[in-house]
């Protein structure tokens, strides 16, 4: 991981815990008890009651009752009848943060991958990266479609899958950006020149100390380039693993209502693997 280029993200990206059932319930409670239509009428009602007590004004008591009723009624409606809508809005707000971050990162990625395809020795890696870039977008969109068809936004399973999918999608983009950085770094090392100089040095009849130092410098440069491209290969493999888990998750969700009796263990296994990939990516970014 010493060669893994760092990707800096916005500080407000939500973690897996912010897609959890407890976070969703907290959002519902905030909307139910701290919404302006709950707080303001309640506060005004309390003030009206206090003024009625001070000035012995029965009319203010009626106003107090009406305002408190508005506040309490809004709270009850939000908590018992709008919980699904509140849950959906909360989860979409978290997902929107990932969408904006991906858009920021993707501004130059396509062009950079095209450029990397012209780097000697990295052509195949760059081509695989371009294919992964196209594939992960399709897989992510299909997973979201499946989630929306099979679950209600307020369900705990929906939030758990959505949060993990967002992080896995972003982790693949992160890896592609790291791949671009590594290939661009390797591009500055000309393997043809290195091999030519090594052949020339080996053909010398008399080798001086300077020749030995040059040979060692060339060898280290060649090794550095090989290590960079090996790291590229490792990142591409991580992306393939992430996309496989996405496919497995889509298949598990699609099978819920197919009538073939999908076991809960299949769904739990898919969620576990998706979250493991998301958590691994999150650790790399810290």
């Amino acid at each position: 991981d010493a060669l893994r280029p760092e990707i800096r993200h916005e500080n407000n990206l939500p973690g897996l815990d912010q897609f959890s059932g407890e976070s969703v319930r907290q959002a519902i409670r905030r909307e139910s008890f701290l919404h302006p239509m709950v707080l303001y009428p309640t506060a005004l009602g309390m003030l009206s009651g206090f003024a009625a007590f001070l000035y012995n004004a029965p009319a203010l008591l009626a106003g107090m009752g009406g305002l408190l009723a508005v506040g309490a009624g809004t709270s009850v409606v939000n908590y018992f009848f709008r919980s699904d809508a509140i849950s959906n809005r909360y989860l979409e707000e978290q997902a929107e943060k990932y969408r904006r971050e991906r858009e920021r990162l993707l501004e130059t990625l396509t062009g950079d991958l095209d450029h990397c395809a012209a780097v000697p020795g990295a052509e195949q890696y760059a081509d695989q990266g371009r294919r992964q870039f196209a594939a992960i977008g399709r897989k992510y969109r299909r997973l979201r479609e499946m989630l929306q068809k099979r679950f209600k936004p307020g369900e705990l399973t929906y939030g758990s899958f959505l949060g993990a999918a967002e992080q896995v999608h972003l982790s693949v983009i992160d890896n592609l950006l790291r791949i671009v950085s590594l290939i661009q770094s390797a591009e500055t090392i000309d393997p043809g020149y290195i091999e030519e100089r090594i052949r020339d040095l080996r053909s010398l009849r008399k080798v001086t100390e300077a020749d030995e130092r040059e040979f060692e410098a060339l060898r280290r440069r060649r090794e550095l380039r090989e290590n960079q491209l090996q790291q590229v290969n490792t990142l591409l493999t991580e992306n393939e693993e992430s996309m496989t888990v996405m496919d497995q998750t889509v298949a598990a969700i699609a099978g819920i209502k197919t009538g073939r009796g999908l076991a809960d263990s299949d769904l739990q296994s898919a969620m576990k693997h998706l979250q493991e990939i998301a958590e691994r990516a999150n650790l790399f970014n810290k």
Side-chain angles (χ1 to χ4, degrees):
D1 292 340
L3 294 175
R4 183 186 291 269
E6 182 181 0
I7 303 297
R8 294 189 178 274
H9 288 301
E10 299 294 337
N11 293 328
N12 65 342
L13 281 181
L16 284 176
D17 58 325
Q18 289 172 265
F19 289 87
S20 67
E22 180 57 31
S23 293
V24 171
R25 286 190 289 268
Q26 287 178 3
I28 294 171
R29 287 195 290 268
R30 283 196 301 270
E31 188 84 4
S32 300
F33 301 114
L34 300 177
H35 191 277
M37 285 301 295
V38 175
L39 293 178
Y40 292 156
T42 301
L44 290 173
M46 298 294 288
L47 289 173
S48 296
F50 183 65
F53 173 76
L54 286 179
Y55 302 110
N56 192 24
L60 290 176
L61 288 174
M64 177 190 74
L67 288 168
L68 291 178
V70 169
T74 302
S75 180
V76 168
V77 168
N78 283 344
Y79 193 82
F80 290 103
F81 301 102
R82 297 189 62 247
S83 59
D84 283 351
I86 294 170
S87 300
N88 186 42
R89 185 169 69 249
Y90 168 77
L91 290 172
E92 288 304 315
E93 286 172 356
Q94 307 311 307
E96 175 66 14
K97 295 174 184 177
Y98 276 97
R99 186 189 66 80
R100 290 196 300 267
E101 180 66 2
R102 285 194 298 269
E103 287 182 352
R104 183 183 73 84
L105 296 176
L106 293 175
E107 288 179 355
T108 62
L109 182 56
T110 303
D112 287 342
L113 285 170
D114 289 340
H115 175 79
C116 289
V119 176
E123 301 92 343
Q124 184 176 351
Y125 295 139
D127 182 63
Q128 186 179 0
R130 287 187 295 190
R131 291 170 181 248
Q132 288 181 349
F133 174 55
I136 191 60
R138 292 194 302 268
K139 294 175 191 299
Y140 168 75
R141 288 190 295 272
R142 180 55 55 85
L143 178 54
R144 285 209 60 167
E145 290 171 3
M146 286 292 179
L147 287 174
Q148 291 166 353
K149 288 179 181 179
R150 297 297 193 246
F151 302 106
K152 292 181 179 179
E155 289 187 57
L156 304 186
T157 305
Y158 177 88
S160 298
F161 272 121
L162 179 62
E166 293 290 354
Q167 292 201 13
V168 170
H169 189 192
L170 187 62
S171 76
V172 172
I173 301 301
D174 282 351
N175 279 351
L176 291 174
L177 288 167
R178 293 185 176 101
I179 286 166
V180 166
S181 295
L182 288 164
I183 292 178
Q184 288 176 340
S185 176
E187 183 183 14
T188 65
I189 303 174
D190 185 349
Y193 170 81
I194 291 173
E195 295 305 322
E196 181 180 345
R197 286 299 305 147
I198 287 176
R199 284 196 302 270
D200 290 343
L201 290 170
R202 284 175 172 167
S203 66
L204 293 175
R205 291 186 177 181
K206 183 178 180 181
V207 178
T208 66
E209 180 184 352
D211 295 330
E212 291 177 350
R213 287 166 50 201
E214 180 183 357
F215 183 87
E216 180 61 21
L218 291 167
R219 187 195 63 78
R220 288 199 306 270
R221 207 148 78 234
R222 181 175 62 184
E223 185 177 287
L224 174 61
R225 189 178 195 276
E226 290 172 352
N227 288 340
Q228 287 171 314
L229 293 181
Q230 182 55 48
Q231 180 70 359
V232 167
N233 191 36
T234 299
L235 291 169
L236 288 168
T237 299
E238 288 180 8
N239 280 356
E240 294 296 341
E241 291 172 345
S242 296
M243 292 195 296
T244 297
V245 170
M246 291 278 268
D247 286 336
Q248 291 170 337
T249 304
V250 169
I253 295 172
I256 292 175
K257 295 182 180 179
T258 60
R260 66 178 179 85
L262 180 81
D264 282 345
S265 60
D266 292 342
L267 199 62
Q268 293 302 320
S269 177
M271 185 186 297
K272 178 184 177 183
H273 291 156
L274 195 66
Q275 290 178 336
E276 284 175 352
I277 294 290
E279 288 168 358
R280 182 180 70 185
N282 195 40
L283 286 173
F284 285 150
N285 288 326
K286 288 183 179 179

